[in-house]
Amino acid sequence: MIAEVDTPSRPGSGATGEHWIPVRARLIVASAFMLFLELALIRWTGSNIVHLSYFTNFVLLGSFLGIGLGFLRVGRSTRQPYYSPVVLAALVLIVYYFPVTVDRQTEGVLYFTSLSTSGPPAWAILPVVFAAAALVLMGPAELVGRCFPELPRLEAYRYDLIGSLTGIAMFSLLSLASAPPVAWGIIAACAYGVLLRPRSIGRYLGLVTFPSLVVIAALAVETFTAGALWSPYYKVTYQQHFLGDVPIMDIAVNGIPHQQAIPAAARLQWERQYALPYERAASAANLDDVLIVGAGSGTDVAIALSKGAKHVDAVEIDPKLRELGGVYHPDRPYQDPRVTTHITDGRAYLERTDKKYDLILFALPDSLTLVSGASSLRLESYLFTQQAMRAAHDHLKPGGAFSMYNYYREQWLVDRLASTAQAAFGHKPCVDEVGSGQQAVITAGVTADAQRCASEWAGAKADTPPPAVDDRPFLYLHGRDIPSIYLIALGLILLVSIVAVRAVAGPFRRMRPYADLFLLGVSFLLLETKNVTGFALLFGTTWVVNAIVFAGVLVAVLAAVEVTRRFRTPPLPVMYAILLGGLVLAALVPNSWLLGLPVPLRVVCAVVVAFLPIFAANVVFAKRFADTSDATVAFGANLLGAILGGCLEYLSLVIGYEGLLVVAGLLYLGAFALLPRTARAL
C-alpha cells in the first residue's frame, strides 16, 4: 500500500479554518458542481447556438482548458474566483440575446437540412463561447484544486471522483425529469453561494448574488416564454397553424425546423416520396407488421396505418417528440391500438428484437446533433452503416422490403446510401429521386423479386464514397480526411490553450516533471471516446447509455484509486504491461462478435473488454499521482492533456474508432518512456 503523507496548506489554498464547510465535503460539492456546470453548458449552449450541435466537444475542450487552468492557478492567488459567476451571467445574456441558426447549405453536408440563418457568424460567436466556458469552469476548478493540498493525494482524488459521480447523477436525474434550464441555473446559483465565501457583503452581492440572479432570470424567461420542451437531446419548440383547412404542427429542435405533424392524407397528396415505399415494396399488399425507425411526431406511422398496416412498431429516440405526436397529431396515430411505441435507438432496437417485418422504414432519421463526448458521432450514425442495413435485411420476412427516405441534398450521398443497400442486400435497390435537393427514396427487397423498381438504378459513380461501416460511421463525410473547418478550429483551440496556460501558470517548466501525466490525460480521453462510441453501438446511442458509460468510467477510476490506496499493487512497469494487454484485447474483440451475443452476456463481455484498460490506466495514474511533489500542478497537467486528446479524437474520421486504440497505445508507451526513473519502482 502506498504511504500517504499529509501536505501542508499553501497560502490561498483554502485551509480548513478559512471556510465554513469541512475540506472533504467542500471538495465533493465543488467537484460535483464542476461536472454539473460543464454538462449544463454543453447542453444549453448547444440548444441555442446551432454551430455547437456539430461541435459539441468545442465547449468540452473549453471546459478542459478552464479546469486545467483552475488547478494551475492554485497557490498563485488568494482571491476568490468571483469571475466565474460574472462570466457565466455574461455568457447566458449573450447566448440568450444572440441565438444562432445556421444555413448549412453553405457548409456542405457537414451541416444538414437547416432552412434559415440568424445571429452572429461562427467566427464571432464560437471564440466567445470557448473563452467563456474556460473562464466559467476555471472558477469551480480552482475551488477544487485548493482542497487538494489539504489532503493526501489519493484521498483528494477519491473525493474528487465521488463529487464528479454526484454531478453526473444530478444532471442525469434532471434530464430524466425533462427539467428546463432554469433548474440548472438555480443549482448553479446555490453552488456559487455555498462555495464562494464572502469577505465583504458588498462584493458578495455584486459579484455572486447579482450575476446568479441574472442567470436565473434569463433562463426563467426562456423557459416560460419560449414554450419549449426540454428533452434529453433537444430544446423542442412547436407551433400549430392551418394551411387552408389542414391542421399542421411545426416542430423545431435547437432552433432548426425539424419535422411537421400533418394528416397522412395531406402528406401523401403534397409529397409523393411518402407513398413510394409502398409502391416499390411487393409486400405492401399484405402489411401484417411494419417497423418505422424515426417515428417522430407520428406522420409516418399514420401513413403506414392508412396503407393497411395491421401492426406498427414505432421507434423514436426522443420522448418529447413522441409526446407531442401523441397529444397534437391530427390523425392521433399513437392512440391507435395497432401501434406500439419504443423509446430507444433504432439500431439498438434492431439488434435486440427477434421480430420479423413485412416493411422496415427509416423515416427521415436526421438527429441534427452530435453525441456529447464523441467528436463526430451523430445520434443516427449507426443506422446508416452497411452492418445496420444488413441487420434490417435479417429482420425482414420472406418477400419483405426495406426503405429509407430523406432530403439528401448531394447526389454522391444518394449513391452512397444506395450502394450501401446494395452491399447489404446483395442486389441493386430501387432509387427514386423526387423534386429538387436530391430528395430520394431508396427501397430494397429482401430479394430482387420483392421490389418493384420504376427503372434500374444506374449504380454508384466512380467518385462515390464506399459504404459507411460501424468503425467509421461518418455518412456525411465524402473523403477519408478531416474537414478544414475542424482543422482550423482545433488549431486555434490548441494555440489559445498554449497561450492561456503560459499566462496563468507561468513557465512550462513547472509541468515538465509531469510530462508523463500529460500524456496519460491525452490517451485516457481517446480511450474514453472509444468506449462511448462502442457502447453506443452495442446498447444504443441514447442519453441513458452515455450517462451510464461516463459514470462507469468514473467508477472504474474510483475503483483503481481505492485498490491503490488499500492494497499493494504491482510496480508501474507491470501495470503498464497490463494496460497495453488490455488495449490489445479490446482491439482483438470485434464489435460484430459482441453484437451477436445475448444482451446480458454482451453487457458482461463489453464491460470487461472496455474497463480493463481503463482500470489499469488509472492504477498507473493513481500510483504516479500519489508520488508527485505538487498535486495541483500534476493534476492540472493531466487535465490539460485531455485538451490534446479531445483534438486527437478527430483522427477517428481518418483511421476509425478502432484506430484510436492504436494511438492511445502509442501514447501510453510515450508516457512510460517519460516516467521518471525514481517512479519506476512504485
Side-chain angles (χ1 to χ4, degrees):
M1 179 175 177
I2 293 178
E4 297 181 7
V5 181
D6 285 314
T7 55
S9 298
R10 293 180 291 177
S13 66
T16 304
E18 297 179 11
H19 202 287
W20 66 277
I21 302 179
V23 63
R24 290 170 178 81
R26 187 166 80 251
L27 178 52
I28 292 175
V29 172
S31 296
F33 177 44
M34 185 170 68
L35 236 307
F36 181 90
L37 191 57
E38 176 186 322
L39 294 173
L41 279 177
I42 292 171
R43 179 74 176 78
W44 184 73
T45 54
S47 69
N48 288 282
I49 300 176
V50 179
H51 304 290
L52 294 173
S53 291
Y54 300 88
F55 292 89
T56 52
N57 71 337
F58 199 85
V59 177
L60 184 67
L61 293 176
S63 300
F64 283 157
L65 175 60
I67 293 170
L69 292 176
F71 271 82
L72 293 175
R73 193 169 182 267
V74 171
R76 301 178 68 85
S77 173
T78 60
R79 297 178 180 178
Q80 289 290 294
Y82 291 126
Y83 56 82
S84 181
V86 173
V87 175
L88 178 61
L91 174 62
V92 168
L93 290 176
I94 290 171
V95 174
Y96 178 77
Y97 284 109
F98 302 101
V100 178
T101 60
V102 180
D103 181 1
R104 288 170 289 173
Q105 296 180 53
T106 65
E107 301 278 1
V109 290
L110 175 64
Y111 293 125
F112 191 65
T113 72
S114 176
L115 303 177
S116 61
T117 301
S118 70
W123 61 264
I125 192 66
L126 289 182
V128 171
V129 173
F130 178 82
L135 287 172
V136 169
L137 268 297
M138 188 173 162
E142 188 174 347
L143 296 173
V144 171
R146 289 181 180 183
C147 298
F148 268 59
E150 300 181 43
L151 296 168
R153 299 282 186 273
L154 293 187
E155 186 177 356
Y157 190 29
R158 173 198 194 195
Y159 286 113
D160 173 63
L161 291 169
I162 293 172
S164 297
L165 281 166
T166 304
I168 288 179
M170 289 173 58
F171 196 81
S172 298
L173 288 173
L174 289 175
S175 295
L176 180 64
S178 300
V182 67
W184 312 341
I186 292 172
I187 290 174
C190 292
Y192 279 129
V194 167
L195 293 169
L196 293 176
R197 61 188 186 280
R199 293 189 175 181
S200 70
I201 295 300
R203 176 176 295 183
Y204 187 78
L205 291 175
L207 298 178
V208 179
T209 305
F210 180 71
S212 297
L213 291 176
V214 168
V215 170
I216 293 173
L219 296 180
V221 171
E222 180 189 28
T223 297
F224 297 115
T225 63
L229 301 174
W230 289 86
S231 80
Y233 308 98
Y234 305 117
K235 172 185 177 182
V236 183
T237 55
Y238 60 97
Q239 183 178 15
Q240 294 176 282
H241 62 93
F242 283 85
L243 183 59
D245 59 350
V246 177
I248 297 175
M249 179 174 63
D250 295 321
I251 300 174
V253 297
N254 292 352
I256 307 171
H258 188 37
Q259 58 184 263
Q260 293 179 312
I262 299 177
R267 180 65 89 183
L268 289 169
Q269 179 182 353
W270 295 341
E271 296 183 79
R272 183 169 176 264
Q273 74 270 21
Y274 287 90
L276 283 171
Y278 302 92
E279 297 176 13
R280 301 291 175 246
S283 59
N286 185 28
L287 295 176
D288 290 330
D289 293 288
V290 175
L291 171 63
I292 297 179
V293 175
S297 56
T299 297
D300 302 280
V301 177
I303 291 172
L305 294 175
S306 73
K307 294 293 184 179
K310 298 180 178 64
H311 183 267
V312 177
D313 282 309
V315 176
E316 171 56 44
I317 197 171
D318 193 298
K320 289 300 176 182
L321 295 179
R322 161 62 181 83
E323 180 182 309
L324 282 174
V327 175
Y328 296 111
H329 196 285
D331 291 336
R332 297 290 190 268
Y334 289 120
Q335 277 71 47
D336 195 296
R338 294 173 288 172
V339 177
T340 302
T341 304
H342 308 270
I343 304 299
T344 188
D345 171 71
R347 177 68 182 277
Y349 179 83
L350 283 171
E351 298 295 347
R352 291 172 190 168
T353 186
D354 295 325
K355 194 169 181 179
K356 301 279 188 175
Y357 293 93
D358 300 291
L359 180 64
I360 296 177
L361 292 177
F362 285 2
L364 292 93
D366 181 12
S367 67
L368 309 175
T369 191
L370 292 175
V371 176
S372 179
S375 60
S376 301
L377 186 70
R378 293 163 65 126
L379 294 181
E380 79 281 8
S381 287
Y382 286 124
L383 272 178
F384 297 125
T385 66
Q386 184 174 327
Q387 292 90 338
M389 292 194 191
R390 186 66 197 177
H393 171 277
D394 294 343
H395 283 83
L396 290 174
K397 296 178 182 179
F402 161 81
S403 188
M404 59 189 298
Y405 45 87
N406 211 325
Y407 301 85
Y408 295 112
R409 299 187 181 276
E410 296 283 348
Q411 184 61 49
W412 66 261
L413 187 53
V414 175
D415 289 337
R416 183 179 201 179
L417 287 166
S419 64
T420 305
Q422 181 180 12
F425 283 76
H427 56 82
K428 284 186 177 182
C430 304
V431 178
D432 294 280
E433 296 186 29
V434 184
S436 60
Q438 270 62 58
Q439 189 175 341
V441 181
I442 300 169
T443 307
V446 68
T447 63
D449 294 336
Q451 61 191 43
R452 298 168 177 167
C453 301
S455 60
E456 184 178 351
W457 173 52
K461 299 176 178 60
D463 63 342
T464 301
V469 295
D470 285 346
D471 187 41
R472 289 188 69 252
F474 312 121
L475 176 67
Y476 305 109
L477 293 180
H478 186 278
R480 187 180 280 266
D481 55 10
I482 303 175
S484 58
I485 189 172
Y486 283 152
L487 291 175
I488 294 170
L490 295 174
L492 292 174
I493 285 172
L494 290 175
L495 178 62
V496 169
S497 299
I498 291 171
V499 173
V501 170
R502 179 63 178 81
V504 171
F508 288 101
R509 62 176 177 269
R510 288 185 68 202
M511 290 183 287
R512 191 177 302 161
Y514 310 116
D516 60 318
L517 292 177
F518 176 85
L519 289 184
L520 288 178
V522 180
S523 47
F524 184 75
L525 200 73
L526 295 179
L527 198 55
E528 184 179 57
T529 300
K530 173 60 174 65
N531 285 331
V532 169
T533 56
F535 274 77
L537 171 61
L538 295 173
F539 304 105
T541 315
T542 65
W543 72 273
V544 175
V545 171
N546 290 333
I548 290 173
V549 172
F550 286 126
V553 168
L554 290 178
V555 168
V557 175
L558 182 59
V561 171
E562 291 300 307
V563 168
T564 306
R565 289 180 69 240
R566 299 175 185 276
F567 304 99
R568 183 178 297 278
T569 53
L572 281 177
V574 176
M575 288 308 308
Y576 267 104
I578 295 173
L579 166 58
L580 294 173
L583 292 176
V584 171
L585 175 65
L588 292 177
V589 177
N591 283 325
S592 58
W593 180 77
L594 292 173
L595 281 169
L597 298 176
V599 173
L601 184 57
R602 189 192 309 170
V603 171
V604 173
C605 293
V607 167
V608 171
V609 170
F611 289 103
L612 174 60
I614 286 179
F615 177 81
N618 281 280
V619 170
V620 168
F621 175 80
K623 289 169 70 71
R624 176 73 175 95
F625 181 63
D627 189 55
T628 57
S629 58
D630 191 327
T632 53
V633 173
F635 203 63
N638 182 257
L639 289 167
L640 290 173
I643 298 175
L644 180 57
C647 294
L648 291 180
E649 283 181 24
Y650 287 88
L651 287 174
S652 62
L653 301 179
V654 179
I655 62 178
Y657 287 122
E658 293 297 329
L660 293 184
L661 287 176
V662 177
V663 177
L666 294 174
L667 288 167
Y668 278 123
L669 286 174
F672 179 71
L674 292 172
L675 187 67
R677 291 184 179 179
T678 55
R680 299 199 177 199
L682 293 174

